[in-house]
């Protein structure tokens, strides 16, 4: 798990530890690697995890448990897209969350007795909006039924009113949304937070955050996340 060394310069009482996770492999990832145009197919609406994706998430759960992070994380924030919700439950869910979800597919292997953090969904950290059906979410009503232990109270609209059929969110718009998300994180009382999100969101958010750093640090921050990869970083208040 990588950390940005430049962010350790400030007192820890004015900092937060973030664990950034790209969702595990989705069925749209498999199709898109073969033919990028497949991402335009309604078949991949709000794409779910592939069999390999479930395996990746289970492996990451075991790594987090072994490292002790699972007991220290105060909160998990996840995108409301299916592949991220499934990853969040599979990696960070407690026994009660896993048993309460219709989506989990996990061998706890002694991990289930741990007290695990609450999981909250946020629209701010979802994937690039528009055009691709795989990036359009289900209704919140349906998601609450499928993921009853995830808190969807931050999402105001039942329908996905952010996703547009004919307009794809620009790089600049994703970066602005990402910075808004990071500013919101700073207002949260929790000190150690895991975020389950997406490739393009991570890419453009970290690229915007990295503008104040040396190019070598920025390159390390912005290196492409693989499916179900976790990187840890500290954000700190310079004041």
């Amino acid at each position: 798990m990588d950390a940005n060394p430049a962010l350790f310069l400030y007192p820890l009482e004015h900092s937060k530890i973030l664990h950034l996770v790209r969702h595990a492999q989705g069925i749209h990832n498999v199709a898109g690697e073969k033919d990028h145009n497949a991402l335009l197919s309604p078949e991949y609406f709000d794409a779910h995890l592939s069999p390999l994706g479930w395996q990746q998430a289970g492996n990451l759960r075991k790594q987090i448990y072994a490292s002790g992070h699972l007991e220290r994380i105060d909160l998990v924030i996840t995108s409301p897209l299916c592949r991220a919700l499934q990853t969040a439950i599979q990696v960070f869910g407690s026994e009660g969350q896993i048993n309460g979800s219709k989506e989990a597919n996990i061998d706890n292997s002694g991990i289930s007795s741990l007290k695990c953090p609450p999981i909250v969904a946020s629209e701010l950290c979802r994937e690039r909006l528009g055009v691709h059906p795989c990036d359009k979410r289900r209704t919140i009503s349906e998601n609450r039924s499928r993921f009853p232990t995830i808190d969807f109270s931050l999402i105001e609209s039942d329908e996905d009113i952010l996703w547009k059929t004919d307009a794809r969110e620009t790089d600049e718009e994703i970066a602005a949304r990402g910075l808004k998300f990071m500013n919101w994180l700073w207002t949260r009382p929790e000190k150690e937070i895991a975020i389950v999100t997406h490739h393009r969101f991570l890419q453009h958010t970290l690229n915007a955050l990295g503008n104040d750093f040396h190019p070598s640090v920025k390159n390390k921050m912005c290196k492409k996340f693989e499916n179900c990869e976790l990187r840890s970083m500290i954000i700190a208040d310079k004041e």
Side-chain angles (χ1 to χ4, degrees), residues 32-227:
E33 288 174 2
K34 297 175 182 177
D35 177 9
H36 186 73
N37 288 331
L39 299 179
L40 297 172
S41 171
E43 177 183 355
Y44 300 108
F45 164 68
D46 198 8
H48 58 78
L49 294 185
S50 68
L52 176 59
W54 284 114
Q55 181 180 342
Q56 291 171 334
N59 288 341
L60 180 58
R61 179 181 179 84
K62 292 175 183 177
Q63 293 171 23
I64 290 175
Y65 169 67
S67 71
H69 284 304
L70 196 60
E71 295 178 290
R72 298 197 298 268
I73 293 170
D74 302 310
L75 177 69
V76 177
I77 300 171
T78 179
S79 156
L81 294 177
C82 180
R83 55 195 182 271
L85 297 170
Q86 289 175 324
T87 301
I89 284 286
Q90 186 85 341
V91 174
F92 299 105
S94 67
E95 183 176 17
Q97 289 170 320
I98 291 166
N99 291 340
S101 171
K102 300 174 183 178
E103 304 296 321
N105 175 20
I106 195 166
D107 173 13
N108 281 302
S109 301
I111 303 173
S112 60
S113 61
L114 286 179
K115 181 179 181 295
C116 295
I119 303 175
V120 177
S122 170
E123 296 269 44
L124 284 175
C125 64
R126 60 186 290 182
E127 185 56 297
R128 187 195 296 267
L129 296 164
V131 181
H132 293 175
C134 58
D135 298 329
K136 182 178 183 180
R137 67 164 171 80
R138 290 171 168 79
T139 65
I140 297 305
S141 299
E142 183 176 352
N143 277 334
R144 281 197 174 109
S145 175
R146 298 175 70 190
F147 302 93
T149 60
I150 293 180
D151 181 354
F152 291 95
S153 63
L154 293 177
I155 301 177
E156 297 179 357
S157 174
D158 189 48
E159 298 289 339
D160 188 354
I161 61 174
L162 300 177
W163 186 93
K164 307 298 182 185
T165 304
D166 56 355
R168 190 83 166 138
E169 194 174 21
T170 66
D171 294 351
E172 293 76 16
E173 287 169 338
I174 300 174
R177 176 159 58 86
L179 292 177
K180 181 179 180 180
F181 175 73
M182 297 299 287
N183 287 333
W184 172 74
L185 278 185
W186 192 250
T187 69
R188 300 282 315 184
E190 299 86 4
K191 292 297 185 181
E192 190 158 347
I193 303 173
I195 298 134
V196 182
T197 181
H198 306 265
H199 166 49
R200 294 299 180 190
F201 178 82
L202 288 165
Q203 176 189 14
H204 294 294
T205 300
L206 293 176
N207 187 65
L209 287 173
N211 287 333
D212 293 333
F213 297 111
H214 187 277
S216 63
V217 175
K218 182 176 180 179
N219 289 340
K220 185 176 182 181
M221 287 176 62
C222 298
K223 181 182 176 183
K224 180 181 177 181
F225 276 70
E226 300 299 329
N227 285 121

Side-chain angles (χ1 to χ4, degrees), residues 6-58:
L7 296 177
F8 286 95
L9 297 177
Y10 308 105
L12 291 180
E13 61 266 25
H14 301 301
S15 66
K16 292 182 186 293
I17 300 173
L18 303 183
H19 302 289
L20 307 177
V21 181
R22 181 187 175 193
H23 65 80
Q25 185 192 70
I27 59 170
H28 69 302
N29 294 134
V30 178
E33 288 174 2
K34 297 175 182 177
D35 177 9
H36 186 73
N37 288 331
L39 299 179
L40 297 172
S41 171
E43 177 183 355
Y44 300 108
F45 164 68
D46 198 8
H48 58 78
L49 294 185
S50 68
L52 176 59
W54 284 114
Q55 181 180 342
Q56 291 171 334

